[in-house]
Amino acid sequence: MNYITVKEACEKWRIGIRIVTLYCSEGRIEGAIKKGNLWLIPEDAIKPEDRRRKKTSIQKEKEHVICKDKCDLQSQKPYENLWPFKSLYEDKDLFVQIVKHFPYPMHICAPDGTMLLANEAYLKFAKISNPEKLYKKHNILHNPSLERWGVKDFVLRAFQGEVVHIYDVKVPHQEIIERLGDDKEVVSESIYHNITAFPINDSNNQLQFVVFIFSTSRYYQDRLEIAKGKEYIDNHWKERFDIDKLVSIVHMSKYHYIRLFKQHTGMTPYNYYQDIKFNKLKEKLCDGSLSITQIFDECGVNYNGNFAKKFKQKFGMTPSQYRTLMLQK
């Protein structure tokens, strides 16, 4: 007898994976057998009848009323039903308070690039105790470091009226503190941010403000040598692990650095590197558009090599089994 997989049955019967799996577990598909975590279904099996209740005329009538109400709401004027928030549009002081206490670092600039407002989270990040020294004096467009940071084009696009996003950018925290902050302390953390910038126009579609919002994507705060090591591994995880290159960055011997790294993180640098590889593999195995070999290639490892065996040792299943399990969810 020929068998097909759950996924093939889904395509054949035009129903979801969960429904087919449920039919198998309830014994409603004659001849279906389970091999490990996988169900195999006879190729000529008949699709079970859907026992879910069909909609009654009363249910249909209710849906019609809901749909009508929804259409009525959509036909009304913008903000007409947002009366609880009406004061937000009229009270500028309230708006400033919302910006001030927004939990992510944010600053607002004028069309010429002059900084007009920064919230508490940004002031804390830049270690600025007196924001009045900053407002109307600092101009983001005149910052000579934008190009070196790799964000100049991103910033210019925002001032040209475009909503832009940039991901996982290393923010030069130390440099920002030295340039803007009152406390010139040396910091040991490395911070990567996702940044969103968007324009705010007036009723005539003229640019009034540009808003920048920062959300942390990666954060390293540890002994400087450990933070540098983690950062290097995170940025070079696709490459072959090179302990010599790593210790040259932190200016320590192999023996002392491996011991120090394990003391602070509970694992060796190579184990840390392997964990990143494993997590990236797991993430990409959920993408059904790529073959497993392609996924391993993208992660810089050979599918036919030792890493596939280590994957099974760590997670109790092969990459193929893990993928099948994830795609069934």
Side-chain angles (χ1 to χ4, degrees):
M1 181 181 292
N2 295 325
Y3 291 91
I4 59 176
T5 64
V6 168
K7 188 175 181 181
E8 289 171 326
C10 293
E11 295 171 353
K12 179 180 177 181
W13 293 336
R14 298 180 182 275
I15 56 177
I17 288 177
R18 289 188 177 182
I19 299 296
V20 176
T21 305
L22 180 64
Y23 288 164
C24 291
S25 61
E26 291 180 347
R28 296 178 58 193
I29 301 178
E30 187 175 349
I33 58 175
K34 193 172 186 181
K35 294 285 187 180
N37 292 324
L38 306 177
W39 281 100
L40 298 177
I41 300 168
E43 193 175 32
D44 57 353
I46 299 173
K47 175 186 174 183
E49 182 182 354
D50 190 349
R51 294 176 180 173
R52 292 175 292 182
R53 291 188 304 170
K54 294 184 178 180
K55 294 177 182 177
T56 64
S57 58
I58 296 175
Q59 287 175 316
K60 290 180 180 178
E61 186 177 343
K62 285 183 178 178
E63 286 185 359
H64 175 73
V65 172
I66 292 171
C67 182
K68 183 177 181 300
D69 290 343
K70 185 177 179 181
C71 292
D72 290 342
L73 284 172
Q74 290 175 343
S75 65
Q76 293 174 359
K77 294 179 181 179
Y79 311 125
E80 191 170 88
N81 286 302
L82 299 179
W83 61 267
F85 306 103
K86 188 176 180 181
S87 60
L88 176 60
Y89 301 101
E90 299 174 348
D91 190 339
K92 292 183 179 179
D93 291 335
L94 176 60
F95 177 75
V96 170
Q97 287 300 312
I98 291 173
V99 171
K100 180 180 178 181
H101 297 291
F102 191 72
Y104 297 107
M106 170 198 292
H107 64 73
I108 301 175
C109 297
D112 65 355
T114 305
M115 187 178 289
L116 300 176
L117 180 67
N119 69 348
E120 290 182 348
Y122 185 86
L123 297 176
K124 182 178 180 181
F125 165 74
K127 300 190 183 299
I128 300 170
S129 59
N130 185 4
E132 296 305 321
K133 294 180 180 179
L134 181 68
Y135 299 154
K136 298 185 179 180
K137 296 177 183 177
H138 172 64
N139 190 306
I140 189 173
L141 295 178
H142 296 166
N143 186 345
S145 302
L146 289 181
E147 192 163 355
R148 180 161 49 82
W149 298 346
V151 297
K152 184 176 181 179
D153 179 63
F154 165 83
V155 171
L156 291 176
R157 284 165 56 197
F159 280 92
Q160 290 166 2
E162 188 178 343
V163 177
V164 287
H165 310 276
I166 189 168
Y167 301 99
D168 209 36
V169 178
K170 184 177 181 180
V171 177
H173 194 192
Q174 183 68 53
E175 189 172 330
I176 290 174
I177 291 173
E178 291 175 355
R179 185 164 46 87
L180 304 177
D182 303 310
D183 185 355
K184 307 301 182 184
E185 69 173 284
V186 176
V187 295
S188 61
E189 63 255 34
S190 294
I191 303 176
Y192 288 72
H193 272 146
N194 299 327
I195 308 173
T196 296
F198 58 91
I200 296 179
N201 297 337
D202 61 16
S203 57
N204 296 318
N205 205 31
Q206 296 297 310
L207 182 65
Q208 292 292 295
F209 309 103
V210 176
V211 181
F212 291 84
I213 300 176
F214 303 77
S215 61
T216 303
S217 58
R218 284 191 278 158
Y219 180 74
Y220 305 93
Q221 185 179 32
D222 212 322
R223 180 165 166 166
L224 186 59
E225 296 91 341
I226 304 301
K228 279 187 175 181
K230 286 182 177 179
E231 185 180 353
Y232 174 80
I233 294 171
D234 283 353
N235 289 334
H236 297 83
W237 64 270
K238 286 187 178 182
E239 303 169 12
R240 183 184 293 274
F241 182 75
D242 188 344
I243 186 65
D244 293 319
K245 176 68 174 177
L246 181 59
V247 296
S248 70
I249 292 171
V250 296
H251 307 294
M252 294 180 70
S253 70
K254 290 183 192 178
Y255 172 77
H256 285 100
Y257 188 68
I258 291 172
R259 187 178 65 174
L260 182 69
F261 195 97
K262 188 170 184 179
Q263 180 183 338
H264 281 258
T265 66
M267 63 179 74
T268 66
Y270 183 68
N271 292 145
Y272 182 82
Y273 163 83
Q274 279 193 318
D275 273 2
I276 294 174
K277 289 267 194 190
F278 283 131
N279 289 331
K280 295 293 183 181
L281 280 170
K282 286 171 65 179
E283 181 182 314
K284 290 181 179 293
L285 283 168
C286 296
D287 181 358
S289 65
L290 297 173
S291 70
I292 294 180
T293 302
Q294 287 174 320
I295 289 170
F296 269 69
D297 286 342
E298 284 199 4
C299 292
V301 286
N302 184 359
Y303 179 54
N304 296 317
N306 194 39
F307 215 83
K309 295 178 182 177
K310 290 182 178 179
F311 187 98
K312 184 175 181 180
Q313 290 171 358
K314 187 173 181 68
F315 301 110
M317 62 182 78
T318 65
S320 178
Q321 290 170 332
Y322 179 84
R323 172 181 234 186
T324 301
L325 182 64
M326 290 298 104
L327 293 180
Q328 283 183 346
K329 290 186 175 181

